[in-house]
């Protein structure tokens, strides 16, 4: 009887081959699923296509939401900055909104956003093309944050150019209102800027075309007057007041504005008084009535003891101003407007030489 050959079994090798075949089958199955999803993202079969009801403009916008970035070797192309496109724009080609609703930017807000921009910009700013440059509609905080964070570009979603500064302000205001309404100080400064820039011709046009803080109703004439009175305060005083919720209130701002008379340049004494009152209001956490009484008392006392100046107007061609003389104080204040920027250093040296010669001759 013939001896049957023995079959040597290797259970471990068989198990390894089984696992290899199983893994390959699973990978093939997942690869097929991924390919199917890519080819038919809706999950429906090609034989049953779904009609595209998205408008053409919206569809084009959706395909351009991912910013187009440029390498150091790739030149920025302004011709690609068409409405709907989101492009990474180099800083040196960007201009800020000249009439934006946001006028005061706090450093802590800028620093906070700057920390997150290193990982990428979540929301693109909005802007438009003017000549060979990009003008922002909104995104002033993001621009400042990106600049200090070391990022060389700002992601901008492009729109059609606005029809003038008023349209530019209103567009920016709509974007700003989606996040938060402007502060009283921002609103006051914006109204003054719209008037000074000629975007509107009068206070009446502000009432008719610019919404109030809540963005819904029209402003009354008295409201516009209050905002413009607040806006006439020196910029650094408003910035100081913006640092505290108490001194940012409309009633407090209006009370402090009483220190600065209309159509007069602020004096050193007025500025010092304003600073003292601001710090006292913040320290004592005063009520509306207490603030009004305090300011009225201090202003009245200041005016009683204030020395009236002898004022001499200056008018030489386009140069206009005045000289104020306070005899008891031994003080002279000079104000001169209309001097070209490039001539200011020369004029300053002339003043310094005159004062030096005077003090030398009259010791």
């Amino acid at each position: 009887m013939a001896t049957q050959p023995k079959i040597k079994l290797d259970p471990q090798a068989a198990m390894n081959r089984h696992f290899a075949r199983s893994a390959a089958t699973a990978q093939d199955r997942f690869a097929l699923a991924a390919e199917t999803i890519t080819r038919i993202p809706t999950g429906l079969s090609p034989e049953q296509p779904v009609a595209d009801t998205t408008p053409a403009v919206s569809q084009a916008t959706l395909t351009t939401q991912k910013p187009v970035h440029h390498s150091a070797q790739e030149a920025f192309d302004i011709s690609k900055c068409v409405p709907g496109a989101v492009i990474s724009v180099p800083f040196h080609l960007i201009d800020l909104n000249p009439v934006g609703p946001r006028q005061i930017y706090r450093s802590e807000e800028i620093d906070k956003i700057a920390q997150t921009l290193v990982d990428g910009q979540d929301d693109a700013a909005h802007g438009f093309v003017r000549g060979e440059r990009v003008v922002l509609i909104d995104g002033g905080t993001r621009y400042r944050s990106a600049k200090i964070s070391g990022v060389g570009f700002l992601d901008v979603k492009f729109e059609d150019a606005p029809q003038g500064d008023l349209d530019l302000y209103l567009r920016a205001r709509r974007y700003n209102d989606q996040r938060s309404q402007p502060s009283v100080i921002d609103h006051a400064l914006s109204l003054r800027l719209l008037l000074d820039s000629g975007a509107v011709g009068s206070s009446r046009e502000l009432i008719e075309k610019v919404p109030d803080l809540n963005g819904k109703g029209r402003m009354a004439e008295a409201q516009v007057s209050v905002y413009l009175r607040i806006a006439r305060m020196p910029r650094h005083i408003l910035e100081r007041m913006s640092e505290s919720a108490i001194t940012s209130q409309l009633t407090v701002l209006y009370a402090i504005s009483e220190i600065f008379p209309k159509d007069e340049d602020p004096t050193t004494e007025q500025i010092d008084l304003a600073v003292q009152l601001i710090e006292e209001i913040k320290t004592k956490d005063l009520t509306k009535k207490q603030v009004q009484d305090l300011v009225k008392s201090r202003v009245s006392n200041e005016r009683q003891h204030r020395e009236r100046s002898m004022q001499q107007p200056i008018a030489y061609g386009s140069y206009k101003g005045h000289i104020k003389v306070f005899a008891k104080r031994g003080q002279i204040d000079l104000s001169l407007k209309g001097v070209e920027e490039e001539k200011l250093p020369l004029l300053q040296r002339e003043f310094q030489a005159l004062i030096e010669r005077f003090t030398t001759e009259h010791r």
Side-chain angles (χ1 to χ4, degrees), residues 62 75 106 132 156 180-181 212 255 334 337:
L62 290 174
R106 301 183 63 180
E132 295 298 316
V156 179
S180 62
Q181 69 180 34
D212 195 11
L334 170 65
K337 299 179 180 179

Side-chain angles (χ1 to χ4, degrees), residues 106 108 185 238-245 247-248 279 282:
R106 301 183 63 180
E108 54 266 32
I185 296 175
L238 289 172
E239 290 176 350
R240 182 184 288 263
M241 296 186 76
S242 73
E243 296 170 356
S244 167
T247 54
S248 296
E279 295 307 313
K282 290 194 293 186

